[in-house]
Amino acid sequence: MTTRTWENLQLPTPGTFTFDVAHTRIGFVAKHMMVSKVRGHFDEFTGTVTVAENPLESSAELTIKAASINTSSPDRDGHLRSDDFLSADKFPEITFRSTSVAGHSGDEFVLVGDLTVRDVTKQVELTVEYGGAGTNPWGQELWGFSLTTEIDREAFGLTWNQALETGGVLVSKKIKIEVEGEANRA
């Protein structure tokens, strides 16, 4: 892989990279009944990262098919696709478009951008951990990353909930987003 040293990191040389769907997981975690965590992911997505000469000027875009939500429970997945949550028929895509890299410390970067869920767009900050660069056995350049953020689902119009007799609600307002992945040079 063609890399360069930038602030003690071995980063890829500038160019466009696409998410490797076979080696990337776009997941989320929500609290259920205030006592446990439910994890899920999206099966269909595309994404690109453009690594700039100055890494702090790099950009990223991601498009997720809302109907591809998967929590390993068909009934729950159907509910999450419905108008109570993602309204996947009316709003088939969830998108993220970066607007800036707000800074970094070591191998962690803060990526700022616009997240659109349903018809609502909000600015979010993602913590991105750079995992390193390499070349796979077929000669393709790649690099790895992890990112996390937490959003308030109600800010995106996902307000359905149910009060519990014991207090609290069925589904947490806060949703943690966790992505693990690789990107290949386009």
Side-chain angles (χ1 to χ4, degrees):
M1 171 161 220
T2 308
T3 60
R4 63 208 161 119
T5 302
W6 181 82
E7 297 199 13
N8 297 320
L9 293 174
Q10 283 300 118
L11 299 180
T13 56
T16 300
F17 294 78
T18 57
F19 284 24
D20 180 344
V21 176
H23 296 101
T24 301
R25 182 178 189 278
I26 298 176
F28 59 89
V29 182
K31 288 277 274 200
H32 179 251
M33 296 191 60
M34 311 287 291
V35 298
S36 65
K37 295 177 182 177
V38 171
R39 294 181 183 278
H41 64 276
F42 291 92
D43 290 325
E44 297 177 40
F45 55 88
T46 59
T48 60
V49 176
T50 301
V51 176
E53 185 65 40
N54 175 353
L56 298 178
E57 295 173 359
S58 297
S59 62
E61 292 187 5
L62 173 65
T63 300
I64 300 168
K65 298 294 182 189
S68 74
I69 196 165
N70 184 344
T71 64
S72 299
S73 170
D75 289 342
R76 179 174 47 225
D77 295 345
H79 191 203
L80 292 171
R81 289 181 192 106
S82 77
D83 289 342
D84 284 344
F85 289 97
L86 295 175
S87 195
D89 288 342
K90 294 178 194 151
F91 306 103
E93 295 181 339
I94 299 167
T95 61
F96 173 80
R97 297 209 184 343
S98 68
T99 55
S100 67
V101 178
H104 84 97
S105 175
D107 63 357
E108 282 194 0
F109 294 78
V110 177
L111 185 63
V112 179
D114 294 327
L115 176 64
T116 302
V117 180
R118 294 175 59 125
D119 59 347
V120 179
T121 301
K122 299 284 182 188
Q123 187 178 77
V124 296
E125 283 190 1
L126 311 174
T127 300
V128 181
E129 181 182 348
Y130 172 68
T135 303
N136 69 21
W138 302 274
Q140 189 170 38
E141 296 179 49
L142 59 89
W143 57 275
F145 60 92
S146 302
L147 71 82
T148 58
T149 193
E150 187 173 88
I151 62 169
D152 177 344
R153 69 181 176 87
E154 292 183 356
F156 291 92
L158 308 174
T159 59
W160 182 91
N161 223 330
Q162 189 170 355
L164 301 174
E165 288 181 22
T166 56
V169 292
L170 189 63
V171 183
S172 61
K173 283 177 51 169
K174 299 291 183 184
I175 305 296
K176 186 172 185 179
I177 298 170
E178 303 172 326
V179 179
E180 296 287 334
E182 292 179 9
N184 301 321
R185 190 174 296 274

